[in-house]
Amino acid sequence: MTAQKPQGQVTERRFSWQFLLLGILDIIIALLAFRDPHATLGSVVYYFGFMAIFQGCTILLMANAVSRYFGIKNIWINISGIISIVAGIFILSNALASVMALPFVFAVWFIADAISDLLRTVRINRVKRAIWPGASAFNIWSVATEIITLILGVYMLFRPGTAALTIVFLIGFYFLMKGISSIIMAFV
């Protein structure tokens, strides 16, 4: 008699092109932001708009996969994806206003994304540990990244003037951390 695989458990790691591409694009955005903040701000607004839409779609696809493979349904993951898509559409349709509203738009986006990713990390932690022994190190990195992202989001929400002066660096730091996490997630 053969042993049956328990329901909801995955026995192999899968490579994710979406997370790899998202990670590479995130790191490119970060490097552009750090290179020349003043010249970058205007052109990066459009890039952030497209990236927000792409990230939102990736989050919604990931939420569907998590629901399908693990039976975990989490409304926060879907809300985060929808907020990312709406933020992207807003940014692309109102570029000039977006530059002025960036601290608020990104504050809400950072907060929603951090909460979503924290919940995802906590919920699938036990599954990942069973698949990959290095998952504990990834989870520590992921939780630390999301706590910093949450702090940055709250900071930008309550200190928009200061955030507006440093927005390119805050966004560059955010995308660098998200890029590293996404690339790691592509191989987990």
Side-chain angles (χ1 to χ4, degrees):
M1 183 176 272
T2 60
Q4 291 183 339
K5 182 174 78 171
Q7 184 74 8
Q9 285 194 357
V10 178
T11 58
E12 62 185 51
R13 291 186 287 160
R14 296 180 189 247
F15 179 74
S16 171
W17 283 104
Q18 292 101 339
F19 278 112
L20 180 64
L21 182 58
L22 184 62
I24 290 169
L25 290 174
D26 284 347
I27 290 173
I28 289 170
I29 289 173
L31 294 175
L32 287 173
F34 292 141
R35 183 172 169 240
D36 189 357
H38 297 292
T40 302
L41 185 60
S43 61
V44 167
V45 165
Y46 289 104
Y47 199 70
F48 283 142
F50 288 116
M51 179 55 71
I53 292 169
F54 181 78
Q55 180 176 352
C57 292
T58 301
I59 288 170
L60 292 175
L61 288 171
M62 187 266 315
N64 183 33
V66 167
S67 176
R68 192 169 9 139
Y69 292 119
F70 303 117
I72 299 170
K73 293 185 180 182
N74 189 328
I75 191 72
W76 283 106
I77 295 173
N78 291 322
I79 290 172
S80 174
I82 292 167
I83 287 174
S84 291
I85 292 169
V86 169
I89 291 169
F90 174 79
I91 290 167
L92 291 175
S93 63
N94 302 300
L96 184 58
S98 295
V99 171
M100 303 303 283
L102 276 179
F104 297 107
V105 171
F106 280 98
V108 172
W109 185 14
F110 282 25
I111 292 167
D113 194 51
I115 291 170
S116 168
D117 286 354
L118 279 170
L119 291 172
R120 181 195 69 221
T121 299
V122 169
R123 288 195 157 211
I124 64 175
N125 179 36
R126 64 180 173 264
V127 175
K128 288 292 183 189
R129 273 194 307 212
I131 300 168
W132 181 50
S136 294
F138 171 73
N139 288 331
I140 291 168
W141 168 261
S142 183
V143 168
T145 299
E146 298 317 324
I147 289 172
I148 291 169
T149 300
L150 188 60
I151 291 168
L152 287 174
V154 171
Y155 174 79
M156 287 192 298
L157 191 62
F158 290 105
R159 304 282 300 212
T162 305
L165 297 174
T166 60
I167 191 78
V168 173
F169 291 108
L170 290 173
I171 292 169
F173 181 71
Y174 165 79
F175 277 103
L176 179 64
M177 292 178 60
K178 294 300 286 183
I180 293 168
S181 290
S182 293
I183 290 172
I184 292 170
M185 192 67 166
F187 295 97
V188 175

